[in-house]
Amino acid sequence: MSEIELKREALSSSLQYFLQLCDEAEAVLCGKVVKPTPQMDFSELLDTLMPLPRDKESVLGSTFKQLQLMVQDCTRCRLCETRNHTVFGEGALPARLMVVGEGPGAEEDASGRAFIGKGGVYLDSWLSSIGLSRTNNVYIANIVKCRPPENRNPLADEIAACIPYVKRQIQLVKPELLLLSGGVASKSLLNTDEGVGKLRGRFFRYEGIPTLVTYHPAGVLRNPDLRRPVWEDMKKIASFLNIPLSGRS
Ligand code: URA
């Protein structure tokens, strides 16, 4: 075991012992039976106080800030050659809902902000119809962080190079619910070839996090018949998050 690991273990034992003393003192002062203190998991606190040394090329154990810097300088695939800005993601932290889209378009590439073009404004309106917003309780990110030229779909090797970033983002955001918007996000994170039409309407788990799939706003702008199913998906999200919808059906 390395020196830092030994120190982390010592701190963890001391914290556990301190909690036990507090419980014993409380029991004695209140005249209660002294019960054993349950074993606590201090790993998050330890990661903050005594982070383990990191491989700078790996997202493992990275903080939000470190991840952001890695994305900013990323040259893992050819998309770095044509981008103007990387688009990390944005929104509220903590977030009740995390939305994952496909990748930046022209406006996002020009500004460095996720979902700010026509599709983004539409997505914001879906969220606001159920009382959610990226300023209050939603975090938004994409599968790839750089714009594919001509807005083509990201290629398999580009997704493979970039996906560790969004996976780490999901771990760090820890939303109550994950919403995968469009086929690229759902296929990449649920490891399936099924289309959105087959996947939407039921709950999945991505790394233990309840997950829903819906259409991509750009697709719905092109095909208004998809508006109804998207509204059904929004109602499912509201119901899962216990958000009352006054009389809308
Ligand atoms: N489409 C996406 O999937 N993401 C964006 O950020 C913008 C458009």
Side-chain angles (χ1 to χ4, degrees):
M1 215 185 255
S2 68
E3 192 183 339
I4 183 85
E5 284 168 321
L6 285 169
K7 281 187 180 160
R8 281 168 65 103
E9 226 175 69
L11 180 57
S12 178
S13 309
S14 306
L15 288 167
Q16 183 67 37
Y17 184 54
F18 175 71
L19 284 187
Q20 191 185 317
L21 288 179
C22 291
D23 284 349
E24 283 176 13
E26 190 187 352
V28 170
L29 290 172
C30 303
K32 292 193 219 150
V33 182
V34 179
K35 288 194 195 136
T37 305
Q39 187 64 40
M40 301 292 288
D41 176 10
F42 296 110
S43 49
E44 265 188 48
L45 180 64
L46 292 171
D47 285 343
T48 311
L49 296 175
M50 277 186 199
L52 291 166
R54 286 194 327 109
D55 168 0
K56 290 219 168 44
E57 293 301 305
S58 159
V59 300
L60 268 182
S62 61
T63 63
F64 234 87
K65 191 75 220 160
Q66 287 164 338
L67 194 63
Q68 219 160 355
L69 294 174
M70 286 179 80
V71 168
Q72 196 177 293
D73 296 336
C74 183
T75 54
R76 287 184 182 190
C77 82
R78 67 185 77 73
L79 296 181
C80 70
E81 292 160 19
T82 47
R83 74 176 176 223
N84 287 302
H85 290 98
T86 56
V87 178
F88 182 71
E90 64 178 54
L93 291 173
R96 300 202 68 194
L97 177 72
M98 178 165 174
V99 183
V100 178
E102 179 178 320
E107 286 95 340
E108 291 79 15
D109 175 62
S111 64
R113 293 189 54 204
F115 273 109
I116 55 144
K118 219 168 156 197
V121 173
Y122 196 29
L123 174 64
D124 283 338
S125 77
W126 297 357
L127 298 173
S128 107
S129 71
I130 52 168
L132 296 173
S133 71
R134 61 174 102 184
T135 40
N136 287 329
N137 34 33
V138 180
Y139 191 88
I140 296 178
N142 284 306
I143 294 288
V144 294
K145 308 300 190 199
C146 298
R147 181 191 183 203
E150 314 302 330
N151 291 350
R152 64 160 170 74
N153 277 1
L155 304 176
D157 64 330
E158 295 159 357
I159 294 176
C162 209
I163 209 160
Y165 296 135
V166 79
K167 289 186 168 177
R168 180 66 184 148
Q169 265 174 310
I170 298 169
Q171 276 178 357
L172 289 163
V173 174
K174 285 197 224 97
E176 288 170 53
L177 180 66
L178 186 62
L179 177 66
L180 307 180
S181 175
V184 169
S186 51
K187 285 179 185 157
S188 308
L189 287 173
L190 297 178
N191 280 323
T192 173
D193 283 330
E194 299 261 47
V196 174
K198 286 261 165 61
L199 298 172
R200 58 165 292 280
R202 54 197 163 113
F203 282 93
F204 297 88
R205 280 201 183 259
Y206 169 77
E207 299 223 335
I209 301 170
T211 301
L212 285 172
V213 172
T214 196
Y215 292 103
H216 191 280
V220 188
L221 283 170
R222 283 192 300 269
N223 179 3
D225 287 351
L226 301 179
R227 279 195 229 150
R228 187 76 217 175
V230 166
W231 173 235
E232 297 301 326
D233 296 339
M234 293 303 116
K235 285 194 291 184
K236 220 178 190 70
I237 294 171
S239 153
F240 180 85
L241 295 176
N242 283 319
I243 301 169
L245 293 180
S246 43
R248 295 198 56 189
S249 58

